[in-house]
Amino acid sequence: MNVTSRRRTRSKKSNGRWFYLAGALLLIIVTLLAFRAYSSAQPQRDLVVFVGDSITEGVASTDPTTTSRPGLYQSHVGNDVIVANDGVNGITLGSLAGQVSSVERYFRSGRNNVAIIHGGSNDFALGSKAAPLFKTLQEYAGRLHDGGWKVAVGTVMRRNGLPPEQERERQAFNALLRNGTLQANGIAVLDFDAEERAGKVEIADGVHPSDAGYAAMSKLDVAFADKALGR
């Protein structure tokens, strides 16, 4: 084989390699575009975030992953909805409101984003007053609502051992939640306190519900969240 023939052979091999590389690159591009089109065509799963203290986390339940309020709602909706448990044992409502960005990180456009907020028991145990705590909650829930969330807040149930003055503040706080201010601004109120006073929410340890108590609270969660999700 002369020099010219060898050059032609190398040229053909080189062209062949470039042809296969170009084909592989084109295949990758087509695959990526198809995946992007498929992903954009798929509906995003709706989201329900439970925000609160130990009663949201599920303390005193037999299994917080399944018998807490978030766990019960996940069982109710199955895998069609993302359910997040942002309950923190011992946290105050004031601290929760200061961490609003931790909830906002969940937000995604194009789907229903639902937040159920329940806290305050620890605040009253520490001597908080009803009026400023209500303002804190109102601002917190309002910020989420204005950001596109569908929001509900819960009244605070009784807590064994609260001194009379702190118990009066708890009741005053619940009265503020019920007075229509929040509802007029598109924020729902779940009256857990009324359910507990009616004997429907069993308390296990003086603060936290039993499994049956959480199940009773969950009925209010389900009614609100299902409506918010259009279920």
Side-chain angles (χ1 to χ4, degrees):
M1 182 181 292
N2 58 33
V3 174
T4 302
S5 297
R6 287 197 296 270
R7 286 176 179 173
R8 287 175 180 172
T9 300
R10 286 198 297 271
S11 177
K12 289 180 180 179
K13 289 181 179 179
S14 177
N15 289 338
R17 284 196 295 270
W18 279 111
F19 175 80
Y20 287 118
L21 286 172
L25 180 60
L26 180 61
L27 179 61
I28 292 171
I29 292 172
V30 170
T31 301
L32 289 173
L33 290 174
F35 178 76
R36 179 177 295 180
Y38 172 81
S39 298
S40 62
Q42 300 307 304
Q44 296 191 60
R45 286 192 295 165
D46 289 333
L47 169 74
V48 179
V49 181
F50 288 77
V51 186
D53 52 26
S54 56
I55 295 177
T56 294
E57 185 181 19
V59 170
S61 67
T62 56
D63 179 12
T65 61
T66 58
T67 56
S68 65
R69 291 166 45 232
L72 290 166
Y73 192 71
Q74 186 75 80
S75 297
H76 170 71
V77 294
N79 293 325
D80 292 339
V81 177
I82 300 168
V83 180
N85 185 343
D86 264 22
V88 179
N89 190 7
I91 200 167
T92 63
L93 187 56
S95 296
L96 285 172
Q99 298 174 6
V100 64
S101 60
S102 69
V103 178
E104 289 177 327
R105 76 182 188 275
Y106 289 111
F107 187 89
R108 298 289 184 278
S109 60
R111 71 178 181 192
N112 291 306
N113 298 272
V114 180
I116 300 176
I117 306 165
H118 181 248
S121 180
N122 296 320
D123 298 79
F124 294 116
L126 293 172
S128 295
K129 301 299 182 182
L133 192 62
F134 174 74
K135 182 179 180 182
T136 296
L137 176 61
Q138 185 178 29
E139 292 175 350
Y140 176 33
R143 176 176 166 180
L144 289 174
H145 181 268
D146 293 345
W149 290 81
K150 299 178 181 181
V151 184
V153 301
T155 56
V156 180
M157 297 182 296
R158 66 179 177 84
R159 179 184 181 121
N160 286 358
L162 276 186
E165 181 180 350
Q166 294 174 8
E167 173 61 16
R168 285 193 294 270
E169 294 297 327
R170 181 189 73 87
Q171 294 182 24
F173 178 77
N174 286 341
L176 289 170
L177 265 64
R178 298 184 185 110
N179 72 8
T181 302
L182 294 171
Q183 296 90 325
N185 289 292
I187 298 167
V189 175
L190 309 184
D191 204 342
F192 299 123
D193 176 59
E195 295 294 288
E196 193 274 327
R197 286 187 287 107
K200 298 178 182 179
V201 180
E202 179 182 271
I203 302 299
D205 59 7
V207 177
H208 306 98
S210 63
D211 284 351
Y214 282 122
M217 294 179 73
S218 182
K219 292 179 181 179
L220 300 187
D221 296 325
V222 167
F224 165 73
D226 278 4
K227 182 178 180 180
L229 298 176
R231 295 176 66 87

